[in-house]
PDB file of all heavy atoms in Angstrom:
ATOM      1  N   MET A   1     -10.379 254.083 156.938  1.00  0.00           N
ATOM      2  CA  MET A   1      -9.040 254.679 156.880  1.00  0.00           C
ATOM      3  C   MET A   1      -8.089 253.400 156.866  1.00  0.00           C
ATOM      4  O   MET A   1      -8.181 252.557 157.701  1.00  0.00           O
ATOM      5  CB  MET A   1      -8.789 255.525 158.011  1.00  0.00           C
ATOM      6  CG  MET A   1      -7.391 256.233 157.981  1.00  0.00           C
ATOM      7  SD  MET A   1      -7.233 257.441 159.284  1.00  0.00           S
ATOM      8  CE  MET A   1      -5.545 257.964 158.954  1.00  0.00           C
ATOM      9  N   THR A 134       4.968 218.100 141.304  1.00  0.00           N
ATOM     10  CA  THR A 134       5.264 218.359 139.870  1.00  0.00           C
ATOM     11  C   THR A 134       6.273 217.373 139.343  1.00  0.00           C
ATOM     12  O   THR A 134       6.143 216.877 138.193  1.00  0.00           O
ATOM     13  CB  THR A 134       5.773 219.831 139.736  1.00  0.00           C
ATOM     14  OG1 THR A 134       4.722 220.642 140.109  1.00  0.00           O
ATOM     15  CG2 THR A 134       6.041 220.097 138.211  1.00  0.00           C
ATOM     16  N   CYS A 146      15.914 225.977 129.603  1.00  0.00           N
ATOM     17  CA  CYS A 146      16.406 227.256 129.193  1.00  0.00           C
ATOM     18  C   CYS A 146      16.499 228.118 130.544  1.00  0.00           C
ATOM     19  O   CYS A 146      15.613 228.283 131.310  1.00  0.00           O
ATOM     20  CB  CYS A 146      15.484 227.908 128.269  1.00  0.00           C
ATOM     21  SG  CYS A 146      15.831 229.623 127.912  1.00  0.00           S
ATOM     22  N   ASP A 153      30.283 241.415 134.806  1.00  0.00           N
ATOM     23  CA  ASP A 153      30.720 242.543 135.650  1.00  0.00           C
ATOM     24  C   ASP A 153      29.637 243.639 135.703  1.00  0.00           C
ATOM     25  O   ASP A 153      29.028 243.949 134.674  1.00  0.00           O
ATOM     26  CB  ASP A 153      31.936 243.153 135.123  1.00  0.00           C
ATOM     27  CG  ASP A 153      33.227 242.301 135.344  1.00  0.00           C
ATOM     28  OD1 ASP A 153      33.063 241.281 136.020  1.00  0.00           O
ATOM     29  OD2 ASP A 153      34.309 242.627 134.811  1.00  0.00           O
ATOM     30  N   ALA A 193      10.811 248.321 158.342  1.00  0.00           N
ATOM     31  CA  ALA A 193      11.911 249.286 158.380  1.00  0.00           C
ATOM     32  C   ALA A 193      11.422 250.614 157.688  1.00  0.00           C
ATOM     33  O   ALA A 193      11.651 251.709 158.159  1.00  0.00           O
ATOM     34  CB  ALA A 193      13.105 248.781 157.692  1.00  0.00           C
ATOM     35  N   ALA A 214      20.116 246.461 152.177  1.00  0.00           N
ATOM     36  CA  ALA A 214      21.167 245.933 151.567  1.00  0.00           C
ATOM     37  C   ALA A 214      20.996 244.391 151.353  1.00  0.00           C
ATOM     38  O   ALA A 214      20.405 243.774 152.198  1.00  0.00           O
ATOM     39  CB  ALA A 214      22.539 246.146 152.278  1.00  0.00           C
ATOM     40  N   ALA A 243       9.510 239.590 160.146  1.00  0.00           N
ATOM     41  CA  ALA A 243       8.810 240.539 160.976  1.00  0.00           C
ATOM     42  C   ALA A 243       7.277 240.398 160.866  1.00  0.00           C
ATOM     43  O   ALA A 243       6.649 241.243 161.514  1.00  0.00           O
ATOM     44  CB  ALA A 243       9.227 241.904 160.655  1.00  0.00           C
ATOM     45  N   GLN A 248       5.453 234.686 168.254  1.00  0.00           N
ATOM     46  CA  GLN A 248       5.781 235.700 169.279  1.00  0.00           C
ATOM     47  C   GLN A 248       7.049 236.389 168.890  1.00  0.00           C
ATOM     48  O   GLN A 248       7.847 235.852 168.142  1.00  0.00           O
ATOM     49  CB  GLN A 248       5.880 234.995 170.629  1.00  0.00           C
ATOM     50  CG  GLN A 248       7.101 234.143 170.868  1.00  0.00           C
ATOM     51  CD  GLN A 248       7.212 233.550 172.269  1.00  0.00           C
ATOM     52  OE1 GLN A 248       6.247 233.543 172.995  1.00  0.00           O
ATOM     53  NE2 GLN A 248       8.400 233.113 172.618  1.00  0.00           N
ATOM     54  N   VAL A 278      13.934 236.092 174.592  1.00  0.00           N
ATOM     55  CA  VAL A 278      15.210 236.737 174.307  1.00  0.00           C
ATOM     56  C   VAL A 278      16.322 235.709 174.246  1.00  0.00           C
ATOM     57  O   VAL A 278      16.502 234.897 175.216  1.00  0.00           O
ATOM     58  CB  VAL A 278      15.529 237.760 175.479  1.00  0.00           C
ATOM     59  CG1 VAL A 278      16.910 238.452 175.325  1.00  0.00           C
ATOM     60  CG2 VAL A 278      14.406 238.795 175.560  1.00  0.00           C
ATOM     61  N   SER A 304      12.898 239.680 165.484  1.00  0.00           N
ATOM     62  CA  SER A 304      12.064 238.952 164.526  1.00  0.00           C
ATOM     63  C   SER A 304      10.814 238.513 165.274  1.00  0.00           C
ATOM     64  O   SER A 304      10.697 238.763 166.498  1.00  0.00           O
ATOM     65  CB  SER A 304      12.879 237.791 163.930  1.00  0.00           C
ATOM     66  OG  SER A 304      13.245 236.866 164.915  1.00  0.00           O
ATOM     67  N   THR A 306       8.955 234.700 164.598  1.00  0.00           N
ATOM     68  CA  THR A 306       9.596 233.331 164.580  1.00  0.00           C
ATOM     69  C   THR A 306      10.957 233.522 163.866  1.00  0.00           C
ATOM     70  O   THR A 306      11.059 233.951 162.738  1.00  0.00           O
ATOM     71  CB  THR A 306       8.770 232.337 163.860  1.00  0.00           C
ATOM     72  OG1 THR A 306       7.420 232.388 164.385  1.00  0.00           O
ATOM     73  CG2 THR A 306       9.363 230.977 163.987  1.00  0.00           C
TER      74      THR A 306
END
Side-chain angles (χ1 to χ4, degrees):
M1 184 176 178
T134 298
C146 173
D153 288 354
Q248 68 178 21
V278 175
S304 63
T306 307

